[in-house]
Amino acid sequence: KHGILTRKSHADMDGKRTPRGRRGWKKFYAVLKGMILYLQKDEYKPDKDLSEVDLKNAVRVHHALATRASDYSKRPNVLKLKTSDWRVFLFQAPSEEEMVSWIFRINLV
Ligand code: I3P
């Protein structure tokens, strides 16, 4: 699965709140491949190698939990992702349908 996702980092690897200055929203082209959610700056090109930044932004979704971010009301179509290493991200999808589809696909991994 792939598509546009806009990310906000809410908690870091240690489960602590992501500090100010790193809590902004950032738009990515997301690709879910195997157990990894790749977050790329540009649209996915099969023949292009992933950049160092792309690799750094990739999220392991094995044993992660995706839910509707019902406690977040500032933006629509936002899902919450809790990873197995205690990170928490919010991801805004372009539509309700896309959000539901991402939640379903992430939780299948
Ligand atoms: C954050 C940025 C986010 C905002 C967040 C700010 O600043 O303005 O958009 O979240 O508020 O800290 P920075 O880019 O300097 O990290 P919202 O869009 O959800 O308001 P927060 O600290 O209350 O999460």
Side-chain angles (χ1 to χ4, degrees), residues 81-96:
L81 180 72
K82 291 187 186 190
T83 69
S84 60
D85 56 11
W86 306 104
R87 290 191 282 174
V88 180
F89 297 103
L90 298 180
F91 286 108
Q92 183 183 27
S95 67
E96 159 90 16

Side-chain angles (χ1 to χ4, degrees), residues 8-78:
K8 176 184 175 178
S9 182
H10 185 74
D12 292 341
M13 213 102 89
D14 50 9
K16 288 205 189 99
R17 182 188 159 95
T18 300
R20 282 246 178 85
R22 289 205 293 109
R23 300 182 59 82
W25 288 92
K26 204 172 167 196
K27 191 170 166 182
F28 290 99
Y29 193 79
V31 180
L32 182 61
K33 226 174 165 187
M35 297 179 182
I36 314 270
L37 179 65
Y38 294 96
L39 298 167
Q40 298 171 224
K41 230 173 78 190
D42 305 305
E43 186 133 354
Y44 173 69
K45 295 189 198 80
D47 53 334
K48 203 176 145 248
D49 283 342
L50 292 166
S51 72
E52 204 135 321
V53 179
D54 290 341
L55 289 172
K56 208 191 84 204
N57 281 325
V59 180
R60 187 189 294 274
V61 292
H62 188 49
H63 292 163
L65 180 68
T67 54
R68 191 185 287 264
S70 42
D71 53 350
Y72 188 84
S73 55
K74 288 184 190 173
R75 290 178 177 223
N77 313 320
V78 176

Side-chain angles (χ1 to χ4, degrees), residues 1 68 77 93-104:
K1 176 166 176 65
R68 191 185 287 264
N77 313 320
S95 67
E96 159 90 16
E97 194 186 0
E98 273 294 289
M99 181 202 65
V100 170
S101 164
W102 277 110
I103 290 173
F104 180 75

